[in-house]
Amino acid sequence: MLDIAKVRAQFPILKREVNGKPLVYFDNAATSQKPQVVIDAIVDYYSNYNANIHRGVHALSQEATDVYEAARENVRAFFNIPLAKQTLFTSGNTHSINAVASGAHVFVKEGDEVIVSAVEHHSNIVPWQMLCERVGAHLKVIPVLDNGTLDMDAYQQLLNDKTAFVVVNHVSNALGVTNPVAEIIKRAHAVNALVLIDGAQSCGHMKVDVQALDADFYTMSGHKMCGPTGIGILYGKEHLLNELPPYQGGGEMIDQVSFEKTTYAGLPHKFEAGTPNICGGIALGAAVDYLNEVGMDNIAAYEHELLVYGTEQLKKIDGITIYGDVPDKAAVISFNVSSIHPYDIGTIVDKLGIAVRTGHHCAQPVMTRFNIPGTVRASFAFYNTKEEIDVMVQAMQRAVMMLS
Ligand SMILES: *Cc1c(COP(=O)(O)O)cnc(C)c1O
């Protein structure tokens, strides 16, 4: 099990105060905090071996290349990706999705259908809309039921021989609900459609095995799994990554360049044009080491405990509605109290040192579905405690009293 005092001591930011109160950081679905080992990895790189990678013959360049590639290997193993060359570094989850969608005209033809779900983040909607516009394909939407889960019967109805791509998040950032992605993938494959899973909310919170899921593409954000911002991952099946055209042209991604014709480098370099976020990749490698040390099973079990406790305690507030209150979910609680605007609650609890998210969480269609302007979202990580949840619930009660 987790030694929570020891874990908290590893996150320097958790010692600080906000508005004169100890920080209670419950905005982990927006970005996670960073342990000292990740901060140290960043400082160490810039202090001791900063150099451009993959090209230099000099010692520093080789050292930086070795550590960067070792980080890629760490990330590969963490998600059970078969090969390092299928573990592509990007600038984030949004970049990863766009890298696939921008080249997906090789998979999606005029008249084809692309299925998204009604609980997607804008970054897993808009790139596919752009693709559909470009190729003349049609976007179809899996509806969401009142309890926040996807309507799997409706999904089955949408699947047909025109379905070319299905894109769904593993865990919804707006509701926290875990989608049955293995089943979604299986059914998509039955009609020969490809599947991209947006793993921005699952990575760092649960064990993810891209091979067991049989995902064709899987995308992650480094900053949501204790790594820095500006680094993400794209996994793809090898033959699909070979077929997919490069997202950006430039240095690193070429084999031979002439004004008549350029040939591209092999994987992963074909998708890594330009000088990458070397420091970010290295620090993400350190984050993965750290998560392994704490143990993903421990993290998942403890965060679930926080979810259950937080849900129980929040339900004591009169007039609360929790959206997506189902057993199979991540430690994200999205709610409203009576008709109080979420922004007003967020502003008051911030004065008490509590960081929650308010608004549409980059998922406006979800808010439209539930006919609300937004929600208050409390999202937990393994360095949070039940005591912090108590502080939040008390603050919520105070805010509600002031506002009703
Ligand atoms: C955060 C998030 C994204 C976007 O990731 P970025 O790191 O902002 O690029 C996409 N989908 C989901 C489900 C998210 O939570």
Side-chain angles (χ1 to χ4, degrees):
M1 272 314 292
L2 285 186
D3 180 346
I4 188 67
K6 185 177 153 206
V7 166
R8 286 182 68 81
Q10 289 156 343
F11 288 79
I13 208 169
L14 298 180
K15 294 187 191 78
R16 71 161 284 183
E17 295 193 340
V18 168
N19 292 322
K21 310 274 185 203
L23 166 68
V24 173
Y25 185 77
F26 285 162
D27 196 16
N28 293 288
T31 198
S32 65
Q33 296 301 346
K34 321 304 170 197
Q36 190 64 51
V37 285
V38 169
I39 299 166
D40 288 347
I42 294 167
V43 173
D44 185 36
Y45 167 71
Y46 282 121
S47 307
N48 295 314
Y49 61 100
N50 169 54
N52 211 333
I53 54 169
H54 293 149
R55 282 173 286 225
V57 290
H58 61 82
L60 284 195
S61 174
Q62 288 185 1
E63 204 175 317
T65 304
D66 288 348
V67 183
Y68 185 73
E69 289 306 326
R72 192 196 301 276
E73 171 55 27
N74 263 1
V75 171
R76 181 205 66 73
F78 190 70
F79 294 109
N80 194 28
I81 295 171
L83 300 169
K85 65 180 177 179
Q86 296 166 276
T87 311
L88 311 179
F89 280 135
T90 64
S91 70
N93 194 66
T94 301
H95 177 171
S96 298
I97 294 168
N98 276 281
V100 177
S102 80
H105 52 269
V106 296
F107 307 122
V108 181
K109 302 294 177 197
E110 189 176 352
D112 280 353
E113 294 176 357
V114 174
I115 298 178
V116 302
S117 95
V119 293
E120 296 310 305
H121 188 284
H122 297 158
S123 76
N124 205 27
I125 300 173
V126 183
W128 302 103
Q129 276 174 325
M130 291 161 68
L131 168 74
C132 286
E133 272 174 33
R134 221 164 50 238
V135 306
H138 307 289
L139 199 73
K140 302 282 169 179
V141 183
I142 311 170
V144 58
L145 300 171
D146 288 340
N147 68 2
T149 63
L150 295 180
D151 184 340
M152 291 296 282
D153 295 333
Y155 171 52
Q156 191 59 48
Q157 296 296 315
L158 287 174
L159 289 167
N160 63 64
D161 58 7
K162 284 193 244 133
T163 311
F165 232 112
V166 176
V167 299
V168 177
N169 58 38
H170 199 155
V171 172
S172 152
N173 67 302
L175 304 176
V177 174
T178 304
N179 291 314
V181 288
E183 179 64 23
I184 287 169
I185 292 168
K186 206 172 101 194
R187 292 193 198 176
H189 286 170
V191 297
N192 294 316
L194 297 174
V195 184
L196 177 142
I197 302 295
D198 170 355
Q201 291 297 332
S202 48
C203 63
H205 297 283
M206 58 170 77
K207 238 185 202 150
V208 172
D209 180 332
V210 297
Q211 291 186 75
L213 285 175
D214 199 23
D216 298 299
F217 297 97
Y218 199 102
T219 65
M220 307 88 161
S221 256
H223 70 94
K224 290 180 179 170
M225 48 183 290
C226 294
T229 52
I231 189 80
I233 304 142
L234 168 60
Y235 157 74
K237 287 183 178 164
E238 191 179 0
H239 69 282
L240 297 174
L241 290 175
N242 282 330
E243 250 182 276
L244 188 69
Y247 180 46
Q248 290 183 313
E252 286 267 318
M253 55 76 72
I254 52 90
D255 172 29
Q256 295 285 330
V257 176
S258 73
F259 288 109
E260 288 69 45
K261 181 162 178 60
T262 291
T263 52
Y264 304 132
L267 298 171
H269 306 293
K270 179 177 139 188
F271 290 99
E272 296 182 352
T275 300
N277 182 355
I278 302 165
C279 178
I282 288 170
L284 181 58
V288 163
D289 272 342
Y290 177 72
L291 292 172
N292 280 331
E293 199 183 296
V294 180
M296 286 313 299
D297 288 336
N298 291 334
I299 288 173
Y302 180 68
E303 288 184 359
H304 188 72
E305 228 181 273
L306 291 179
L307 169 72
V308 171
Y309 183 76
T311 305
E312 238 170 57
Q313 295 306 309
L314 280 168
K315 279 184 178 167
K316 293 180 179 165
I317 298 174
D318 275 345
I320 194 165
T321 306
I322 296 175
Y323 305 93
D325 185 16
V326 289
D328 203 3
K329 67 182 288 195
V332 174
I333 310 177
S334 208
F335 61 93
N336 276 319
V337 183
S338 310
S339 57
I340 301 172
H341 200 282
Y343 178 83
D344 295 334
I345 294 183
T347 306
I348 291 179
V349 301
D350 174 60
K351 298 273 184 292
L352 302 167
I354 298 155
V356 291
R357 197 68 156 192
T358 63
H360 55 61
H361 319 299
C362 297
Q364 281 177 357
V366 180
M367 304 304 134
T368 306
R369 163 65 177 80
F370 289 98
N371 200 19
I372 48 178
T375 68
V376 181
R377 183 185 70 187
S379 51
F380 310 135
F382 60 95
Y383 40 76
N384 290 129
T385 65
K386 289 182 185 170
E387 289 73 28
E388 288 181 307
I389 291 174
D390 292 340
V391 170
M392 173 190 67
V393 174
Q394 271 172 22
M396 290 290 165
Q397 265 158 341
R398 210 165 128 186
V400 169
M401 233 165 58
M402 287 168 68
L403 294 164
S404 40

